[in-house]
Amino acid sequence: MVRTTRSPRQPSGVILMAAPAFPHTARGVAYPGLTTGRRATRAKAAAELRKIPRKAAAAGLLATMAAGSIALWTLVPAGMLWLASQLTASAGAPSAGIVLAIALGIPTAMVLSARALVLVERVYARMTGARLTGAGAGTPVVPGWRRSLSDSSGLAPASALEKMMAASVVLAVIALAAWFFAFAGSSLPT
C-alpha cells in the first residue's frame, strides 16, 4: 500500500477534479479558486473590509511605539524622580539610599520600558508581516558604527521602532538644548 502525505491546506486530487463540476457551495463543494463574476467581487470586497480593523490595530501599535519612544526619554525618568520625591518628602533631606535608588531605578525603568517597546514591535511585525531586524529579531547584530565599509552591502532596513527611537532621541536633545538656552536661566550668582 502506497501512502501519500499531503498538506491539510492542499485539496486532494478528487476535489480538484470534482470542483469544476460543482462550483456552487450549495451543492456541498466549496472551492475558492472557481468563484467568478459577482461572487468574486463580493469576496474581494469582504476581504478588503476585513483588513480595516487589522490596519487600525497596526496604526494603534505604531502610535503606541511612538508615544513609548518619547516617554522612554521623558516620562520614565520624570516618573522615577517624582516617586523619589514622594519618598523623600516624608523623610526630609534625601538620604544616600534614596539617591542610590534613583541612580539605579531610572536606568532599570528605562531598560524595562525599552523591552516593552520591543514586545510591541514584535506584535506589530507579526500583524503586518514586516521582517524584524536588530534586537527585535532575537539575533545578534553588529551596530553600524562597528561595521566596516565592506560589510555595508547587505544591511537590512531599519525597523519602525528603530526609526522612532532615533527620532525621539533627536527630539529629546533638541528639547534639552531649547530648555537649557531659553528657559533654564543662569546658575551663576548675580
Side-chain angles (χ1 to χ4, degrees):
M1 179 163 108
V2 177
R3 178 178 271 191
T4 60
T5 59
R6 60 182 166 86
S7 170
R9 292 182 154 209
Q10 292 177 341
S12 69
V14 174
I15 292 177
L16 283 175
M17 289 188 288
F22 302 106
H24 304 292
T25 57
R27 294 188 180 162
V29 176
Y31 192 66
L34 294 176
T35 49
T36 57
R38 196 174 62 172
R39 282 193 181 143
T41 306
R42 278 190 196 163
K44 286 179 185 176
E48 289 298 319
L49 194 60
R50 284 191 299 267
K51 288 181 184 178
I52 292 172
R54 190 173 202 85
K55 288 180 181 179
L61 288 172
L62 278 175
T64 301
M65 285 191 288
S69 297
I70 293 172
L72 184 67
W73 309 112
T74 56
L75 295 179
V76 172
M80 290 300 293
L81 288 173
W82 177 83
L83 182 65
S85 72
Q86 298 303 310
L87 294 173
T88 312
S90 62
S95 65
I98 298 290
V99 172
L100 184 63
I102 293 171
L104 294 176
I106 290 176
T108 303
M110 290 178 78
V111 166
L112 291 175
S113 299
R115 291 182 69 79
L117 283 173
V118 168
L119 291 176
V120 172
E121 180 190 25
R122 286 182 183 168
V123 171
Y124 172 77
R126 209 172 336 147
M127 182 175 288
T128 60
R131 187 167 174 251
L132 286 176
T133 59
T139 58
V141 174
V142 179
W145 55 272
R146 286 187 36 208
R147 272 189 219 118
S148 70
L149 290 176
S150 62
D151 290 342
S152 64
S153 62
L155 293 179
S159 69
L161 182 62
E162 290 171 337
K163 292 175 185 175
M164 287 182 199
M165 289 299 290
S168 70
V169 169
V170 169
L171 285 175
V173 169
I174 290 171
L176 175 68
W179 169 80
F180 182 76
F181 292 115
F183 302 110
S186 176
S187 61
L188 298 174
T190 54

